[in-house]
Amino acid sequence: MKYLVILSVLIAFSFNLSAEARFAPPSPPQKNPHEAQTPEDKARVAFALKAVGLILEKNLNLEQSQEKSVSSLFLNKDLNCLKTLLCWQKDGAFVEEVSGIQIAKGRVVEIKHPHIIPWSFENFKANQDPNQRMIEKPSSETNPVEDKTALKEEAKPMEIPQLLADEYMIHLYVRFSKQSNWYHLNVIVTEDKEGKLSLRHFFVTPMRNSMPPGAVC
């Protein structure tokens, strides 16, 4: 009888751990899925981290200085511009975007696994060189979800970044000061023929158990 009681306790404990893991909010993988290898790619990732540090890691008061956006297109902003409030605030669409992120989510307080999204960079290069082949965006892998709340969340439509021909994305897993869960943060950038990088804008979406096609990293 004693052994049966111990066995029952162990089974119940294992079931609880399994349930907690199944229903827990999604979190970043253990390893960086596409860690930068070349000096050029490391510089691109470093640029994205600096851009996030200059804008999204700060508490900014944008209400009084915000300019109304007259265009949905984002301007090019290099690091020197991002260091100067009066410079990057000339991009009205970007100011509106950053203000919305700050109001709803706060500032970025934790970052994991920054990396270039391979398909976006390959397509960026193909758009610059017609001899290169465009590749299709990979489809997301769907994991079974038993929690009804999670199923409702998965059923909600979610936007994915719509890149221009001269843009690619650097992806980070982040947490914000006003939110407890993890988010995908795409830093959308461009670069000229000399390799000079400019930020266009950010794209933020919550981590979920499955992602729509094109949103995988």
Side-chain angles (χ1 to χ4, degrees):
M1 180 62 71
K2 179 179 178 181
Y3 294 108
L4 289 176
V5 172
I6 294 174
L7 181 60
S8 299
V9 171
L10 290 174
I11 292 174
F13 180 72
S14 299
F15 177 81
N16 288 336
L17 286 179
S18 176
E20 289 178 4
R22 187 165 62 249
F23 301 147
S27 59
Q30 293 296 317
K31 294 182 179 180
N32 192 331
H34 302 290
E35 189 169 0
Q37 301 296 324
T38 67
E40 294 80 7
D41 284 351
K42 290 178 181 179
R44 293 177 175 110
V45 170
F47 173 87
L49 290 172
K50 289 177 182 177
V52 172
L54 289 168
I55 307 297
L56 294 184
E57 289 185 353
K58 294 183 177 180
N59 288 315
L60 301 171
N61 182 9
L62 302 176
E63 295 181 1
Q64 295 181 352
S65 56
Q66 181 171 339
E67 295 185 16
K68 290 294 182 181
S69 175
V70 295
S71 172
S72 60
L73 296 177
F74 295 92
L75 304 178
N76 289 350
K77 299 166 287 294
D78 61 16
L79 283 182
N80 287 330
C81 181
L82 293 174
K83 293 175 183 177
T84 308
L85 197 65
L86 292 177
C87 180
W88 65 261
Q89 283 199 333
K90 294 177 182 178
D91 187 343
F94 183 66
V95 172
E96 289 181 9
E97 181 181 75
V98 171
S99 178
I101 293 172
Q102 215 178 40
I103 290 171
K105 302 174 181 66
R107 63 186 182 87
V108 169
V109 294
E110 188 173 359
I111 295 172
K112 284 190 176 182
H113 305 329
H115 59 274
I116 298 171
I117 297 182
W119 66 260
S120 73
F121 188 63
E122 291 302 317
N123 285 348
F124 164 79
K125 292 192 296 183
N127 283 322
Q128 312 311 306
D129 183 358
N131 294 320
Q132 293 197 42
R133 182 176 62 89
M134 293 278 290
I135 65 173
E136 293 184 2
K137 300 176 185 178
S139 298
S140 60
E141 296 181 1
T142 302
N143 297 321
V145 181
E146 298 183 13
D147 181 26
K148 292 182 179 180
T149 303
L151 283 172
K152 291 180 181 178
E153 182 71 14
E154 298 296 331
K156 294 179 181 178
M158 182 174 65
E159 295 181 3
I160 60 174
Q162 301 298 317
L163 299 180
L164 299 179
D166 63 343
E167 295 177 342
Y168 64 91
M169 297 186 290
I170 299 169
H171 177 271
L172 302 80
Y173 299 95
V174 302
R175 291 178 67 186
F176 292 93
S177 58
K178 294 182 180 179
Q179 304 289 336
S180 59
N181 293 345
W182 285 92
Y183 282 76
H184 298 279
L185 170 59
N186 289 314
V187 182
I188 299 177
V189 303
T190 187
E191 62 180 80
D192 61 20
K193 294 181 180 180
E194 285 69 42
K196 180 182 178 181
L197 287 150
S198 294
L199 173 70
R200 287 280 171 79
H201 68 112
F202 301 115
F203 187 91
V204 180
T205 189
M207 284 198 71
R208 296 177 180 173
N209 289 296
S210 65
M211 300 289 286
V216 296
C217 61

